[in-house]
PDB file of all heavy atoms in Angstrom:
ATOM      1  N   VAL B 596     184.391 -53.636-132.178  1.00  0.00           N
ATOM      2  CA  VAL B 596     185.689 -53.432-132.799  1.00  0.00           C
ATOM      3  C   VAL B 596     185.549 -53.802-134.285  1.00  0.00           C
ATOM      4  O   VAL B 596     185.039 -54.876-134.609  1.00  0.00           O
ATOM      5  CB  VAL B 596     186.809 -54.247-132.101  1.00  0.00           C
ATOM      6  CG1 VAL B 596     186.491 -55.741-132.083  1.00  0.00           C
ATOM      7  CG2 VAL B 596     188.157 -53.988-132.789  1.00  0.00           C
ATOM      8  N   PRO B 597     185.910 -52.875-135.186  1.00  0.00           N
ATOM      9  CA  PRO B 597     185.742 -53.168-136.622  1.00  0.00           C
ATOM     10  C   PRO B 597     186.558 -54.390-137.017  1.00  0.00           C
ATOM     11  O   PRO B 597     187.648 -54.631-136.496  1.00  0.00           O
ATOM     12  CB  PRO B 597     186.287 -51.908-137.296  1.00  0.00           C
ATOM     13  CG  PRO B 597     186.215 -50.840-136.256  1.00  0.00           C
ATOM     14  CD  PRO B 597     186.426 -51.520-134.953  1.00  0.00           C
ATOM     15  N   ILE B 598     186.044 -55.146-137.959  1.00  0.00           N
ATOM     16  CA  ILE B 598     186.642 -56.428-138.324  1.00  0.00           C
ATOM     17  C   ILE B 598     188.083 -56.255-138.804  1.00  0.00           C
ATOM     18  O   ILE B 598     188.933 -57.107-138.564  1.00  0.00           O
ATOM     19  CB  ILE B 598     185.752 -57.133-139.376  1.00  0.00           C
ATOM     20  CG1 ILE B 598     186.128 -58.603-139.472  1.00  0.00           C
ATOM     21  CG2 ILE B 598     185.806 -56.433-140.720  1.00  0.00           C
ATOM     22  CD1 ILE B 598     185.052 -59.447-140.119  1.00  0.00           C
ATOM     23  N   GLU B 599     188.359 -55.100-139.433  1.00  0.00           N
ATOM     24  CA  GLU B 599     189.719 -54.909-139.941  1.00  0.00           C
ATOM     25  C   GLU B 599     190.732 -54.613-138.826  1.00  0.00           C
ATOM     26  O   GLU B 599     191.936 -54.584-139.071  1.00  0.00           O
ATOM     27  CB  GLU B 599     189.750 -53.796-141.011  1.00  0.00           C
ATOM     28  CG  GLU B 599     189.159 -52.462-140.586  1.00  0.00           C
ATOM     29  CD  GLU B 599     187.675 -52.308-140.936  1.00  0.00           C
ATOM     30  OE1 GLU B 599     186.945 -53.325-140.843  1.00  0.00           O
ATOM     31  OE2 GLU B 599     187.257 -51.190-141.278  1.00  0.00           O
ATOM     32  N   ASN B 600     190.234 -54.407-137.580  1.00  0.00           N
ATOM     33  CA  ASN B 600     191.155 -54.087-136.484  1.00  0.00           C
ATOM     34  C   ASN B 600     191.437 -55.288-135.583  1.00  0.00           C
ATOM     35  O   ASN B 600     191.978 -55.136-134.490  1.00  0.00           O
ATOM     36  CB  ASN B 600     190.586 -52.950-135.623  1.00  0.00           C
ATOM     37  CG  ASN B 600     190.516 -51.648-136.394  1.00  0.00           C
ATOM     38  OD1 ASN B 600     190.967 -51.581-137.539  1.00  0.00           O
ATOM     39  ND2 ASN B 600     189.944 -50.621-135.783  1.00  0.00           N
ATOM     40  N   VAL B 601     190.997 -56.488-135.984  1.00  0.00           N
ATOM     41  CA  VAL B 601     191.266 -57.670-135.142  1.00  0.00           C
ATOM     42  C   VAL B 601     192.078 -58.690-135.932  1.00  0.00           C
ATOM     43  O   VAL B 601     192.066 -58.704-137.171  1.00  0.00           O
ATOM     44  CB  VAL B 601     189.966 -58.352-134.648  1.00  0.00           C
ATOM     45  CG1 VAL B 601     189.108 -57.363-133.876  1.00  0.00           C
ATOM     46  CG2 VAL B 601     189.192 -58.972-135.794  1.00  0.00           C
ATOM     47  N   GLU B 602     192.757 -59.522-135.200  1.00  0.00           N
ATOM     48  CA  GLU B 602     193.368 -60.709-135.793  1.00  0.00           C
ATOM     49  C   GLU B 602     192.483 -61.893-135.426  1.00  0.00           C
ATOM     50  O   GLU B 602     192.215 -62.139-134.242  1.00  0.00           O
ATOM     51  CB  GLU B 602     194.779 -60.907-135.231  1.00  0.00           C
ATOM     52  CG  GLU B 602     195.749 -59.813-135.693  1.00  0.00           C
ATOM     53  CD  GLU B 602     197.020 -59.768-134.863  1.00  0.00           C
ATOM     54  OE1 GLU B 602     197.278 -60.749-134.124  1.00  0.00           O
ATOM     55  OE2 GLU B 602     197.733 -58.752-134.930  1.00  0.00           O
ATOM     56  N   ALA B 603     191.975 -62.559-136.459  1.00  0.00           N
ATOM     57  CA  ALA B 603     191.113 -63.711-136.217  1.00  0.00           C
ATOM     58  C   ALA B 603     192.006 -64.943-136.029  1.00  0.00           C
ATOM     59  O   ALA B 603     192.933 -65.173-136.806  1.00  0.00           O
ATOM     60  CB  ALA B 603     190.175 -63.902-137.401  1.00  0.00           C
ATOM     61  N   LEU B 604     191.718 -65.710-134.992  1.00  0.00           N
ATOM     62  CA  LEU B 604     192.578 -66.862-134.659  1.00  0.00           C
ATOM     63  C   LEU B 604     191.776 -68.156-134.735  1.00  0.00           C
ATOM     64  O   LEU B 604     190.602 -68.194-134.357  1.00  0.00           O
ATOM     65  CB  LEU B 604     193.145 -66.694-133.248  1.00  0.00           C
ATOM     66  CG  LEU B 604     193.885 -65.368-132.975  1.00  0.00           C
ATOM     67  CD1 LEU B 604     194.342 -65.307-131.518  1.00  0.00           C
ATOM     68  CD2 LEU B 604     195.063 -65.197-133.933  1.00  0.00           C
ATOM     69  N   ASP B 605     192.415 -69.211-135.240  1.00  0.00           N
ATOM     70  CA  ASP B 605     191.735 -70.509-135.287  1.00  0.00           C
ATOM     71  C   ASP B 605     191.951 -71.243-133.958  1.00  0.00           C
ATOM     72  O   ASP B 605     192.493 -70.689-133.008  1.00  0.00           O
ATOM     73  CB  ASP B 605     192.199 -71.319-136.497  1.00  0.00           C
ATOM     74  CG  ASP B 605     193.680 -71.667-136.426  1.00  0.00           C
ATOM     75  OD1 ASP B 605     194.277 -71.551-135.316  1.00  0.00           O
ATOM     76  OD2 ASP B 605     194.246 -72.018-137.473  1.00  0.00           O
ATOM     77  N   GLU B 606     191.515 -72.531-133.928  1.00  0.00           N
ATOM     78  CA  GLU B 606     191.559 -73.250-132.651  1.00  0.00           C
ATOM     79  C   GLU B 606     192.999 -73.435-132.139  1.00  0.00           C
ATOM     80  O   GLU B 606     193.209 -73.662-130.963  1.00  0.00           O
ATOM     81  CB  GLU B 606     190.836 -74.601-132.779  1.00  0.00           C
ATOM     82  CG  GLU B 606     191.390 -75.543-133.838  1.00  0.00           C
ATOM     83  CD  GLU B 606     190.814 -75.281-135.229  1.00  0.00           C
ATOM     84  OE1 GLU B 606     190.367 -74.124-135.487  1.00  0.00           O
ATOM     85  OE2 GLU B 606     190.832 -76.191-136.063  1.00  0.00           O
ATOM     86  N   ASN B 607     193.954 -73.253-133.077  1.00  0.00           N
ATOM     87  CA  ASN B 607     195.347 -73.374-132.654  1.00  0.00           C
ATOM     88  C   ASN B 607     195.996 -72.028-132.351  1.00  0.00           C
ATOM     89  O   ASN B 607     197.199 -71.952-132.149  1.00  0.00           O
ATOM     90  CB  ASN B 607     196.162 -74.067-133.743  1.00  0.00           C
ATOM     91  CG  ASN B 607     195.567 -75.429-134.055  1.00  0.00           C
ATOM     92  OD1 ASN B 607     195.178 -76.163-133.133  1.00  0.00           O
ATOM     93  ND2 ASN B 607     195.455 -75.753-135.342  1.00  0.00           N
ATOM     94  N   GLY B 608     195.177 -71.002-132.376  1.00  0.00           N
ATOM     95  CA  GLY B 608     195.741 -69.683-132.100  1.00  0.00           C
ATOM     96  C   GLY B 608     196.477 -69.111-133.298  1.00  0.00           C
ATOM     97  O   GLY B 608     197.205 -68.136-133.176  1.00  0.00           O
ATOM     98  N   GLN B 609     196.268 -69.708-134.503  1.00  0.00           N
ATOM     99  CA  GLN B 609     196.908 -69.198-135.719  1.00  0.00           C
ATOM    100  C   GLN B 609     195.984 -68.192-136.417  1.00  0.00           C
ATOM    101  O   GLN B 609     194.759 -68.306-136.362  1.00  0.00           O
ATOM    102  CB  GLN B 609     197.213 -70.348-136.698  1.00  0.00           C
ATOM    103  CG  GLN B 609     198.137 -71.396-136.125  1.00  0.00           C
ATOM    104  CD  GLN B 609     199.480 -70.806-135.724  1.00  0.00           C
ATOM    105  OE1 GLN B 609     200.142 -70.158-136.527  1.00  0.00           O
ATOM    106  NE2 GLN B 609     199.871 -71.005-134.466  1.00  0.00           N
ATOM    107  N   ILE B 610     196.593 -67.213-137.091  1.00  0.00           N
ATOM    108  CA  ILE B 610     195.808 -66.189-137.778  1.00  0.00           C
ATOM    109  C   ILE B 610     195.089 -66.795-138.978  1.00  0.00           C
ATOM    110  O   ILE B 610     195.684 -67.556-139.756  1.00  0.00           O
ATOM    111  CB  ILE B 610     196.713 -65.019-138.224  1.00  0.00           C
ATOM    112  CG1 ILE B 610     197.189 -64.267-136.969  1.00  0.00           C
ATOM    113  CG2 ILE B 610     195.981 -64.091-139.181  1.00  0.00           C
ATOM    114  CD1 ILE B 610     198.058 -63.072-137.245  1.00  0.00           C
ATOM    115  N   MET B 611     193.787 -66.475-139.133  1.00  0.00           N
ATOM    116  CA  MET B 611     192.961 -66.981-140.238  1.00  0.00           C
ATOM    117  C   MET B 611     192.802 -65.877-141.283  1.00  0.00           C
ATOM    118  O   MET B 611     192.857 -64.702-140.970  1.00  0.00           O
ATOM    119  CB  MET B 611     191.562 -67.366-139.719  1.00  0.00           C
ATOM    120  CG  MET B 611     191.563 -68.443-138.656  1.00  0.00           C
ATOM    121  SD  MET B 611     189.957 -68.496-137.820  1.00  0.00           S
ATOM    122  CE  MET B 611     188.889 -69.051-139.150  1.00  0.00           C
ATOM    123  N   THR B 612     192.548 -66.296-142.542  1.00  0.00           N
ATOM    124  CA  THR B 612     192.351 -65.281-143.582  1.00  0.00           C
ATOM    125  C   THR B 612     190.905 -64.782-143.564  1.00  0.00           C
ATOM    126  O   THR B 612     190.642 -63.603-143.781  1.00  0.00           O
ATOM    127  CB  THR B 612     192.666 -65.845-144.974  1.00  0.00           C
ATOM    128  OG1 THR B 612     192.025 -67.101-145.096  1.00  0.00           O
ATOM    129  CG2 THR B 612     194.165 -65.983-145.169  1.00  0.00           C
ATOM    130  N   ASP B 613     189.943 -65.691-143.330  1.00  0.00           N
ATOM    131  CA  ASP B 613     188.550 -65.239-143.221  1.00  0.00           C
ATOM    132  C   ASP B 613     188.264 -64.949-141.752  1.00  0.00           C
ATOM    133  O   ASP B 613     188.272 -65.841-140.916  1.00  0.00           O
ATOM    134  CB  ASP B 613     187.589 -66.314-143.754  1.00  0.00           C
ATOM    135  CG  ASP B 613     186.151 -65.818-143.707  1.00  0.00           C
ATOM    136  OD1 ASP B 613     185.891 -64.748-143.099  1.00  0.00           O
ATOM    137  OD2 ASP B 613     185.283 -66.488-144.293  1.00  0.00           O
ATOM    138  N   ALA B 614     187.987 -63.671-141.475  1.00  0.00           N
ATOM    139  CA  ALA B 614     187.920 -63.241-140.083  1.00  0.00           C
ATOM    140  C   ALA B 614     186.559 -63.507-139.451  1.00  0.00           C
ATOM    141  O   ALA B 614     186.352 -63.200-138.290  1.00  0.00           O
ATOM    142  CB  ALA B 614     188.257 -61.754-139.989  1.00  0.00           C
ATOM    143  N   ARG B 615     185.621 -64.071-140.210  1.00  0.00           N
ATOM    144  CA  ARG B 615     184.255 -64.058-139.686  1.00  0.00           C
ATOM    145  C   ARG B 615     183.950 -65.151-138.660  1.00  0.00           C
ATOM    146  O   ARG B 615     183.142 -64.934-137.787  1.00  0.00           O
ATOM    147  CB  ARG B 615     183.261 -64.148-140.837  1.00  0.00           C
ATOM    148  CG  ARG B 615     182.952 -62.765-141.371  1.00  0.00           C
ATOM    149  CD  ARG B 615     182.086 -62.834-142.584  1.00  0.00           C
ATOM    150  NE  ARG B 615     182.621 -61.920-143.582  1.00  0.00           N
ATOM    151  CZ  ARG B 615     182.408 -62.013-144.865  1.00  0.00           C
ATOM    152  NH1 ARG B 615     181.677 -63.012-145.345  1.00  0.00           N
ATOM    153  NH2 ARG B 615     182.930 -61.151-145.695  1.00  0.00           N
ATOM    154  N   CYS B 616     184.519 -66.300-138.791  1.00  0.00           N
ATOM    155  CA  CYS B 616     184.155 -67.391-137.887  1.00  0.00           C
ATOM    156  C   CYS B 616     185.379 -67.922-137.134  1.00  0.00           C
ATOM    157  O   CYS B 616     185.662 -69.123-137.158  1.00  0.00           O
ATOM    158  CB  CYS B 616     183.500 -68.534-138.658  1.00  0.00           C
ATOM    159  SG  CYS B 616     182.103 -67.994-139.631  1.00  0.00           S
ATOM    160  N   PRO B 617     186.102 -67.051-136.478  1.00  0.00           N
ATOM    161  CA  PRO B 617     187.280 -67.526-135.749  1.00  0.00           C
ATOM    162  C   PRO B 617     186.882 -68.097-134.390  1.00  0.00           C
ATOM    163  O   PRO B 617     185.740 -67.960-133.952  1.00  0.00           O
ATOM    164  CB  PRO B 617     188.105 -66.248-135.585  1.00  0.00           C
ATOM    165  CG  PRO B 617     187.072 -65.161-135.528  1.00  0.00           C
ATOM    166  CD  PRO B 617     185.890 -65.617-136.319  1.00  0.00           C
ATOM    167  N   ARG B 618     187.840 -68.768-133.741  1.00  0.00           N
ATOM    168  CA  ARG B 618     187.607 -69.247-132.377  1.00  0.00           C
ATOM    169  C   ARG B 618     187.830 -68.110-131.389  1.00  0.00           C
ATOM    170  O   ARG B 618     187.169 -68.020-130.364  1.00  0.00           O
ATOM    171  CB  ARG B 618     188.567 -70.391-132.044  1.00  0.00           C
ATOM    172  CG  ARG B 618     188.216 -71.711-132.717  1.00  0.00           C
ATOM    173  CD  ARG B 618     186.848 -72.207-132.199  1.00  0.00           C
ATOM    174  NE  ARG B 618     186.476 -73.438-132.858  1.00  0.00           N
ATOM    175  CZ  ARG B 618     186.840 -74.651-132.405  1.00  0.00           C
ATOM    176  NH1 ARG B 618     187.568 -74.763-131.307  1.00  0.00           N
ATOM    177  NH2 ARG B 618     186.473 -75.743-133.052  1.00  0.00           N
ATOM    178  N   SER B 619     188.813 -67.278-131.727  1.00  0.00           N
ATOM    179  CA  SER B 619     189.102 -66.144-130.835  1.00  0.00           C
ATOM    180  C   SER B 619     189.617 -64.983-131.681  1.00  0.00           C
ATOM    181  O   SER B 619     189.942 -65.162-132.857  1.00  0.00           O
ATOM    182  CB  SER B 619     190.142 -66.534-129.777  1.00  0.00           C
ATOM    183  OG  SER B 619     191.322 -66.994-130.422  1.00  0.00           O
ATOM    184  N   ILE B 620     189.646 -63.801-131.059  1.00  0.00           N
ATOM    185  CA  ILE B 620     190.172 -62.638-131.769  1.00  0.00           C
ATOM    186  C   ILE B 620     191.227 -61.976-130.898  1.00  0.00           C
ATOM    187  O   ILE B 620     191.161 -62.027-129.666  1.00  0.00           O
ATOM    188  CB  ILE B 620     189.068 -61.621-132.137  1.00  0.00           C
ATOM    189  CG1 ILE B 620     188.287 -61.194-130.888  1.00  0.00           C
ATOM    190  CG2 ILE B 620     188.157 -62.172-133.218  1.00  0.00           C
ATOM    191  CD1 ILE B 620     187.324 -60.043-131.129  1.00  0.00           C
ATOM    192  N   ARG B 621     192.226 -61.382-131.573  1.00  0.00           N
ATOM    193  CA  ARG B 621     193.311 -60.726-130.849  1.00  0.00           C
ATOM    194  C   ARG B 621     193.262 -59.239-131.175  1.00  0.00           C
ATOM    195  O   ARG B 621     193.188 -58.844-132.338  1.00  0.00           O
ATOM    196  CB  ARG B 621     194.645 -61.323-131.270  1.00  0.00           C
ATOM    197  CG  ARG B 621     195.821 -60.791-130.452  1.00  0.00           C
ATOM    198  CD  ARG B 621     196.992 -61.749-130.518  1.00  0.00           C
ATOM    199  NE  ARG B 621     197.399 -62.001-131.882  1.00  0.00           N
ATOM    200  CZ  ARG B 621     198.062 -63.116-132.277  1.00  0.00           C
ATOM    201  NH1 ARG B 621     198.371 -64.061-131.409  1.00  0.00           N
ATOM    202  NH2 ARG B 621     198.389 -63.265-133.535  1.00  0.00           N
ATOM    203  N   LEU B 622     193.270 -58.414-130.130  1.00  0.00           N
ATOM    204  CA  LEU B 622     193.256 -56.954-130.302  1.00  0.00           C
ATOM    205  C   LEU B 622     194.570 -56.383-129.795  1.00  0.00           C
ATOM    206  O   LEU B 622     195.050 -56.780-128.722  1.00  0.00           O
ATOM    207  CB  LEU B 622     192.111 -56.308-129.511  1.00  0.00           C
ATOM    208  CG  LEU B 622     190.722 -56.383-130.135  1.00  0.00           C
ATOM    209  CD1 LEU B 622     190.088 -57.746-129.867  1.00  0.00           C
ATOM    210  CD2 LEU B 622     189.854 -55.263-129.592  1.00  0.00           C
ATOM    211  N   ARG B 623     195.143 -55.465-130.539  1.00  0.00           N
ATOM    212  CA  ARG B 623     196.398 -54.840-130.130  1.00  0.00           C
ATOM    213  C   ARG B 623     196.169 -53.379-129.686  1.00  0.00           C
ATOM    214  O   ARG B 623     197.117 -52.600-129.586  1.00  0.00           O
ATOM    215  CB  ARG B 623     197.418 -54.915-131.264  1.00  0.00           C
ATOM    216  CG  ARG B 623     197.821 -56.359-131.561  1.00  0.00           C
ATOM    217  CD  ARG B 623     198.920 -56.484-132.588  1.00  0.00           C
ATOM    218  NE  ARG B 623     199.224 -57.890-132.839  1.00  0.00           N
ATOM    219  CZ  ARG B 623     200.079 -58.617-132.107  1.00  0.00           C
ATOM    220  NH1 ARG B 623     200.717 -58.081-131.077  1.00  0.00           N
ATOM    221  NH2 ARG B 623     200.286 -59.883-132.396  1.00  0.00           N
TER     222      ARG B 623
END
Side-chain angles (χ1 to χ4, degrees):
Chain B
V596 57
I598 196 161
E599 54 267 37
N600 294 356
V601 303
E602 292 164 15
L604 306 177
D605 64 16
E606 59 275 24
N607 303 318
Q609 300 300 306
I610 291 181
M611 300 165 66
T612 47
D613 183 350
R615 273 174 225 157
C616 306
R618 286 296 178 88
S619 57
I620 55 171
R621 186 158 57 204
L622 281 81
R623 294 185 181 274

